[in-house]
Amino acid sequence: MNNQERIKQAFSDSLAIPLEKVSDDLAYNSIPEWDSTAHMILIAELENLFNVMLDTDDIIDMSSVAKAKEILAKYEIEFDA
Amino acid sequence: MEQNQILTGYQVSLREVQEKDLPLLRQWRNDTEIRQFMVSQTEITEEQQSAWFRKVSRDPSQQHFMISYKDQDIGSVNIQSRELGKPLSQAKIIEPGLYIGEAKYRNNIIAFSPTLLINDYCFESLKCQKLVAKVKSNNQAALNYNLKLGYQIVKPGDLIEISLNFDDYQRDSKALKALLSRTPRKHRE
């Protein structure tokens, strides 16, 4: 599984939504499933999956799937298609 | 009441509203997106706001703060004593109110930070026993937001009454507080 697939799976598992619903423009609070509780679960999942420790600014900025990839790229996680 | 009080935590700061803040506050308050969830939905004029500011500046039963994140004002939070004639410092029941004026932060987890900060202040510094709030029934987002922080529905209706005690707040806000209190990366390196 590549990083694109791994992050998609992480969003799907954390937000408890089907994989097909995970797209780059999916945003925090845009669906009922992505609320503050799910956001906390998502952060923990991404940290475990990619072995990083996000800081609070990153957690606040992580407002969409695209933004999550952008933030993880700062931690040298690559998302080449 | 201490003048020009500043509270900081969870990446945001709260400073007491000053006269220079009034134009921005009025712009936010009159924004249809914000106004639709207010109990009074009429637009306020500069004169009405000036009169309001003169009144609240001298009133020890309420405090109004600007919320700042990364040196930008993003919204406003206020607290009011729910006991007639009692200043905030003696009130057992306090009603907080909040809105995020900057659109880009409305649907963002940062919206929890000023609430956590003001709730800590009410329970730990002012030593109140209970927070109460009223949420319009069409404002499901605000209701969900408050329930996440431990609020319980006291009275359903068009205007839903909710309340929060310290124990429920401590229990339900713990994880969120930890998430919003991490040390910035630049301080860890």
Side-chain angles (χ1 to χ4, degrees), chain A residues 28-29 35-37 39-40 47 53-60 74-75, chain B residues 11 69-70 107-110 112 148 175-176 179-180 182-185 188:
Chain A
Y28 175 78
N29 257 0
D35 62 5
S36 59
T37 306
H39 197 70
M40 290 189 273
E47 287 184 333
M53 176 75 174
L54 301 169
D55 72 19
T56 302
D57 280 346
D58 295 328
I59 293 165
I60 291 164
K74 289 194 302 184
Y75 294 80
Chain B
Q11 321 302 320
Y69 173 58
K70 291 184 174 175
N107 285 315
N108 189 294
I109 200 145
I110 192 71
F112 281 97
K148 293 277 180 199
L176 205 47
L179 198 69
L180 292 167
R182 290 184 175 185
T183 312
R185 190 184 319 113
R188 291 205 307 260

Coordinates of all heavy atoms in Angstrom, one line a residue, chain A residues 28-29 35-37 39-40 47 53-60 74-75, chain B residues 11 69-70 107-110 112 148 175-176 179-180 182-185 188:
Chain A
Y28 N -13.0 19.4 7.3 CA -13.5 19.3 8.7 C -14.8 20.0 8.8 O -15.0 21.1 8.2 CB -12.4 20.0 9.6 CG -12.8 20.1 11.0 CD1 -12.7 19.1 11.9 CD2 -13.3 21.3 11.5 CE1 -13.1 19.1 13.2 CE2 -13.7 21.4 12.9 CZ -13.6 20.3 13.7 OH -14.0 20.4 15.0
N29 N -15.7 19.3 9.5 CA -17.1 19.8 9.7 C -18.0 19.9 8.4 O -19.1 20.4 8.5 CB -17.1 21.2 10.3 CG -17.4 21.1 11.8 OD1 -17.6 20.1 12.4 ND2 -17.4 22.3 12.5
D35 N -16.1 15.4 13.0 CA -16.3 16.4 14.0 C -15.0 16.5 14.9 O -14.0 15.8 14.6 CB -17.6 16.1 14.9 CG -17.5 14.8 15.6 OD1 -16.5 14.1 15.5 OD2 -18.5 14.4 16.2
S36 N -15.1 17.1 16.0 CA -13.9 17.3 16.9 C -13.4 15.9 17.4 O -12.2 15.7 17.5 CB -14.2 18.2 18.0 OG -15.2 17.8 18.8
T37 N -14.3 15.0 17.8 CA -13.9 13.7 18.3 C -13.2 12.9 17.2 O -12.1 12.4 17.4 CB -15.2 13.0 18.8 OG1 -15.8 13.8 19.7 CG2 -14.8 11.7 19.5
H39 N -11.7 14.1 14.7 CA -10.5 14.8 14.4 C -9.4 14.3 15.3 O -8.2 14.1 14.9 CB -10.7 16.4 14.6 CG -9.6 17.2 13.9 ND1 -9.5 17.3 12.5 CD2 -8.6 17.9 14.4 CE1 -8.5 18.1 12.2 NE2 -7.9 18.5 13.4
M40 N -9.7 14.1 16.6 CA -8.7 13.6 17.5 C -8.3 12.2 17.2 O -7.1 11.9 17.2 CB -9.3 13.7 19.0 CG -9.5 15.1 19.5 SD -9.9 15.2 21.2 CE -11.6 15.1 21.1
E47 N -0.6 9.9 13.2 CA 0.7 9.9 13.9 C 1.2 8.5 14.0 O 2.4 8.3 13.8 CB 0.5 10.5 15.3 CG 0.3 12.1 15.2 CD 0.3 12.7 16.6 OE1 -0.2 12.1 17.5 OE2 0.6 13.9 16.6
M53 N 5.0 13.2 15.1 CA 4.3 13.9 16.2 C 3.9 15.2 15.7 O 4.8 16.1 15.5 CB 5.3 13.9 17.4 CG 4.8 14.7 18.6 SD 3.6 13.7 19.5 CE 3.3 14.8 20.9
L54 N 2.7 15.4 15.5 CA 2.2 16.7 14.9 C 2.2 17.8 16.0 O 1.9 17.4 17.2 CB 0.8 16.6 14.3 CG 0.7 15.5 13.2 CD1 -0.7 15.3 12.8 CD2 1.5 16.1 11.9
D55 N 2.4 19.0 15.7 CA 2.2 20.0 16.7 C 0.9 20.7 16.6 O 0.1 20.4 15.6 CB 3.4 21.0 16.8 CG 3.4 22.0 15.7 OD1 2.4 22.2 15.0 OD2 4.5 22.6 15.4
T56 N 0.5 21.5 17.6 CA -0.9 22.0 17.6 C -1.2 22.9 16.3 O -2.3 22.8 15.8 CB -1.1 22.8 18.9 OG1 -0.8 22.0 20.0 CG2 -2.5 23.3 19.0
D57 N -0.2 23.6 15.8 CA -0.5 24.4 14.6 C -0.9 23.5 13.5 O -1.8 23.8 12.7 CB 0.7 25.2 14.2 CG 0.8 26.5 15.1 OD1 -0.2 26.9 15.7 OD2 1.9 27.1 15.0
D58 N -0.2 22.4 13.4 CA -0.6 21.4 12.3 C -2.0 20.8 12.5 O -2.7 20.6 11.6 CB 0.4 20.2 12.3 CG 1.8 20.7 12.0 OD1 2.0 21.6 11.2 OD2 2.8 20.1 12.5
I59 N -2.3 20.5 13.8 CA -3.6 19.9 14.1 C -4.7 20.9 13.7 O -5.8 20.5 13.2 CB -3.6 19.6 15.6 CG1 -2.6 18.4 15.9 CG2 -5.0 19.2 16.1 CD1 -2.3 18.2 17.3
I60 N -4.5 22.2 14.0 CA -5.4 23.2 13.7 C -5.5 23.4 12.2 O -6.6 23.6 11.6 CB -5.1 24.6 14.4 CG1 -5.2 24.4 15.9 CG2 -5.9 25.7 13.9 CD1 -4.5 25.5 16.7
K74 N 5.7 18.0 5.2 CA 6.7 18.8 6.0 C 7.5 17.8 6.8 O 8.6 18.1 7.3 CB 6.0 19.8 6.9 CG 5.4 21.0 6.2 CD 5.0 22.1 7.2 CE 4.1 21.7 8.3 NZ 3.7 22.7 9.2
Y75 N 6.9 16.7 7.1 CA 7.5 15.6 7.9 C 8.2 14.6 7.0 O 8.4 13.4 7.5 CB 6.5 15.0 8.9 CG 6.0 15.9 10.0 CD1 5.0 16.8 9.6 CD2 6.5 16.0 11.3 CE1 4.5 17.7 10.6 CE2 6.0 16.8 12.2 CZ 5.0 17.7 11.9 OH 4.5 18.6 12.8
Chain B
Q11 N -3.3 28.0 22.4 CA -2.9 28.7 21.1 C -3.6 30.0 20.9 O -3.3 30.7 19.9 CB -3.0 27.8 19.9 CG -2.6 26.4 20.0 CD -1.2 26.1 20.5 OE1 -0.3 26.8 20.1 NE2 -1.1 25.2 21.4
Y69 N -5.7 34.8 17.4 CA -4.9 33.6 17.1 C -3.8 34.0 16.1 O -4.2 34.7 15.1 CB -5.8 32.6 16.4 CG -5.1 31.4 15.9 CD1 -4.3 30.6 16.7 CD2 -5.3 31.0 14.5 CE1 -3.7 29.4 16.1 CE2 -4.6 29.9 14.0 CZ -3.9 29.1 14.8 OH -3.2 28.0 14.3
K70 N -2.6 33.7 16.4 CA -1.5 34.2 15.6 C -1.5 35.7 15.3 O -1.4 36.1 14.1 CB -1.4 33.4 14.3 CG -1.1 31.9 14.5 CD -0.9 31.2 13.2 CE -0.4 29.8 13.4 NZ -0.4 29.0 12.1
N107 N -15.2 26.9 10.7 CA -15.2 25.4 10.7 C -13.9 24.8 10.9 O -13.3 24.2 10.1 CB -15.8 24.9 9.4 CG -17.3 25.1 9.3 OD1 -18.0 24.8 10.3 ND2 -17.8 25.6 8.2
N108 N -13.3 25.1 12.1 CA -12.0 24.7 12.4 C -11.9 24.3 13.9 O -12.6 24.9 14.7 CB -11.0 25.9 12.1 CG -9.6 25.5 12.2 OD1 -9.1 25.1 13.3 ND2 -8.9 25.5 11.1
I109 N -11.1 23.4 14.2 CA -11.0 22.9 15.6 C -10.5 24.1 16.5 O -10.7 24.0 17.7 CB -10.1 21.7 15.7 CG1 -10.4 20.9 17.0 CG2 -8.7 22.0 15.6 CD1 -10.4 19.5 16.9
I110 N -9.9 25.1 16.0 CA -9.5 26.2 16.8 C -10.6 26.9 17.5 O -10.5 27.6 18.5 CB -8.7 27.3 15.9 CG1 -7.9 28.3 16.8 CG2 -9.6 28.0 15.0 CD1 -6.8 27.8 17.5
F112 N -12.6 25.7 19.4 CA -12.8 25.2 20.7 C -11.8 25.9 21.7 O -12.1 26.0 22.9 CB -12.4 23.7 20.8 CG -13.6 22.8 20.4 CD1 -13.6 22.3 19.1 CD2 -14.6 22.5 21.2 CE1 -14.6 21.5 18.7 CE2 -15.6 21.6 20.8 CZ -15.6 21.1 19.5
K148 N -20.2 18.3 23.1 CA -18.8 17.7 23.1 C -18.0 18.2 24.3 O -17.1 17.5 24.7 CB -18.0 18.2 21.8 CG -18.6 17.6 20.5 CD -18.1 16.2 20.3 CE -18.6 15.7 19.0 NZ -18.5 14.3 18.9
A175 N -9.4 15.4 26.5 CA -8.6 15.0 25.3 C -8.4 16.2 24.4 O -7.4 16.4 23.8 CB -9.4 13.9 24.5
L176 N -9.5 17.0 24.3 CA -9.4 18.2 23.4 C -8.4 19.2 23.9 O -7.6 19.8 23.2 CB -10.8 18.9 23.4 CG -11.2 19.7 22.2 CD1 -10.9 19.1 20.9 CD2 -12.7 20.1 22.3
L179 N -4.9 18.0 23.1 CA -4.7 18.2 21.6 C -4.3 19.6 21.3 O -3.4 19.9 20.5 CB -5.9 17.8 20.8 CG -5.7 17.5 19.4 CD1 -5.0 16.2 19.2 CD2 -7.1 17.3 18.7
L180 N -4.9 20.6 22.0 CA -4.7 22.0 21.7 C -3.7 22.6 22.6 O -3.5 23.8 22.6 CB -6.1 22.7 21.8 CG -7.1 22.4 20.7 CD1 -8.5 22.9 21.1 CD2 -6.7 22.9 19.4
R182 N -0.4 21.2 22.8 CA 0.9 20.6 22.5 C 2.0 21.7 22.3 O 1.6 22.8 21.9 CB 0.9 19.8 21.2 CG 0.1 18.5 21.4 CD 0.2 17.7 20.2 NE -0.4 16.4 20.3 CZ -0.4 15.4 19.4 NH1 0.2 15.6 18.3 NH2 -1.0 14.3 19.6
T183 N 3.2 21.4 22.7 CA 4.3 22.4 22.5 C 4.6 22.6 21.0 O 4.7 21.6 20.3 CB 5.6 21.8 23.2 OG1 5.2 21.4 24.4 CG2 6.6 22.9 23.3
P184 N 4.6 23.8 20.6 CA 5.0 24.1 19.2 C 6.3 23.4 18.8 O 7.2 23.3 19.6 CB 5.1 25.6 19.1 CG 4.3 26.1 20.2 CD 4.4 25.1 21.3
R185 N 6.4 22.9 17.6 CA 7.5 22.2 17.1 C 8.8 22.9 17.3 O 9.8 22.4 17.8 CB 7.4 21.8 15.6 CG 8.5 20.8 15.1 CD 8.3 20.6 13.6 NE 7.0 20.4 13.2 CZ 6.4 21.3 12.4 NH1 7.0 22.4 12.0 NH2 5.1 21.2 12.1
R188 N 10.3 22.4 20.5 CA 10.7 21.0 20.9 C 12.1 20.7 20.3 O 12.8 19.8 20.7 CB 9.7 20.0 20.3 CG 8.4 20.0 21.0 CD 7.7 18.6 20.9 NE 7.6 18.2 19.5 CZ 6.5 18.3 18.8 NH1 5.5 18.9 19.3 NH2 6.5 17.8 17.6

